[in-house]
Amino acid sequence: MRCNAILLAAGLSSRMGSANKLLLMVGGEPMIAHVTQTYLSAITGSVTVITGYQADYIEKALADLPVNFVHNPDFASGQQSSVVEGLRSQLHMGATMMGLGDQPLLRVENLLWLLHVHQRDPSKVTVPYRCGRRGNPIVIPSDLRPMMLANPKSAGCREFTRENPHLVTMVDTASDGFFTDVDTPEDYHNLTKERNGAYHGKAV
């Protein structure tokens, strides 16, 4: 199925200290480049990266990749504003995968599996789920994007899916990639330790 992707890469990275987590090295390249390449290898549509904090550095890290950039001038207000900018940027008819730039354990096969599951009921938002915890990315049908933007007080995905469970498909998965993001120096240390130990991830 054709699917575009939105990658959120605008945050302040405040919990990482002085470093921008998306520019930390993973597998010999900046984390955001590593994650973006995973999405590019999995989907048939375009990838749009939402920038904010240190936008110039993010764009430089992705200069060799075929992606679109949308700048969120209100990035300091939080992730919701970047989600809204991302949803507004999508004008195509078809599904959109909304993901995070700090999930380097995601693999191509994880994203392909999520798209395959979404096709079972493409009229609903598809959300990975494990032990009471929602993961990322999610897959959003084009028909629901306007509904997510309709209420300016609760625009975006999180409130919409909570308020409209009948429009959401929760899919169980055992894969760590959907639930592992890198927010702190400890997270990054654990990530590099896993990769140095030839981490290959768990099966879906």
Side-chain angles (χ1 to χ4, degrees):
M1 63 174 292
R2 179 175 174 79
C3 181
N4 285 1
I6 299 167
L7 271 178
L8 305 180
L12 292 168
S13 192
S14 56
R15 295 172 60 191
M16 189 59 71
S18 60
N20 185 334
K21 62 183 177 181
L22 298 181
L23 301 175
L24 297 175
M25 301 302 286
V26 174
E29 60 185 346
M31 185 187 303
I32 186 59
H34 175 86
V35 174
T36 301
Q37 186 60 67
T38 300
Y39 278 77
L40 286 168
S41 298
I43 68 167
T44 56
S46 64
V47 174
T48 298
V49 179
I50 310 302
T51 64
Y53 177 63
Q54 294 189 340
D56 291 347
Y57 292 96
I58 298 297
E59 292 186 17
K60 182 178 179 180
L62 300 176
D64 295 330
L65 297 178
V67 299
N68 305 312
F69 295 103
V70 171
H71 183 70
N72 173 19
D74 195 30
F75 66 89
S77 68
Q79 188 179 92
Q80 181 183 4
S81 63
S82 293
V83 171
V84 170
E85 289 290 342
L87 290 173
R88 286 174 175 166
S89 74
Q90 301 297 295
L91 303 177
H92 71 293
M93 294 302 295
T96 299
M97 184 176 284
M98 176 79 72
L100 308 177
D102 64 348
Q103 290 188 303
L105 293 187
L106 275 174
R107 297 174 294 158
V108 172
E109 51 263 42
N110 296 144
L111 302 183
L112 291 175
W113 170 82
L114 189 64
L115 289 174
H116 175 74
V117 173
H118 178 71
Q119 287 182 289
R120 298 175 188 172
D121 194 347
S123 66
K124 296 182 179 180
V125 180
T126 303
V127 181
Y129 183 82
R130 182 176 69 181
C131 300
R133 181 183 177 191
R134 297 183 178 208
N136 288 289
I138 66 174
V139 185
I140 304 166
S142 58
D143 289 346
L144 296 184
R145 292 198 306 262
M147 296 176 63
M148 291 182 171
L149 294 170
N151 187 345
K153 294 184 179 180
S154 61
C157 304
R158 187 181 299 274
E159 291 301 320
F160 177 85
T161 56
R162 288 177 176 172
E163 295 172 359
N164 299 277
H166 61 291
L167 296 177
V168 180
T169 299
M170 309 293 286
V171 290
D172 288 321
T173 174
S175 178
D176 288 336
F178 291 108
F179 307 95
T180 304
D181 50 7
V182 179
D183 289 324
T184 67
E186 182 180 8
D187 292 339
Y188 182 63
H189 172 75
N190 291 336
L191 171 72
T192 54
K193 183 171 63 175
E194 292 280 11
R195 291 186 64 85
N196 290 339
Y199 178 87
H200 296 293
K202 297 181 180 179
V204 166

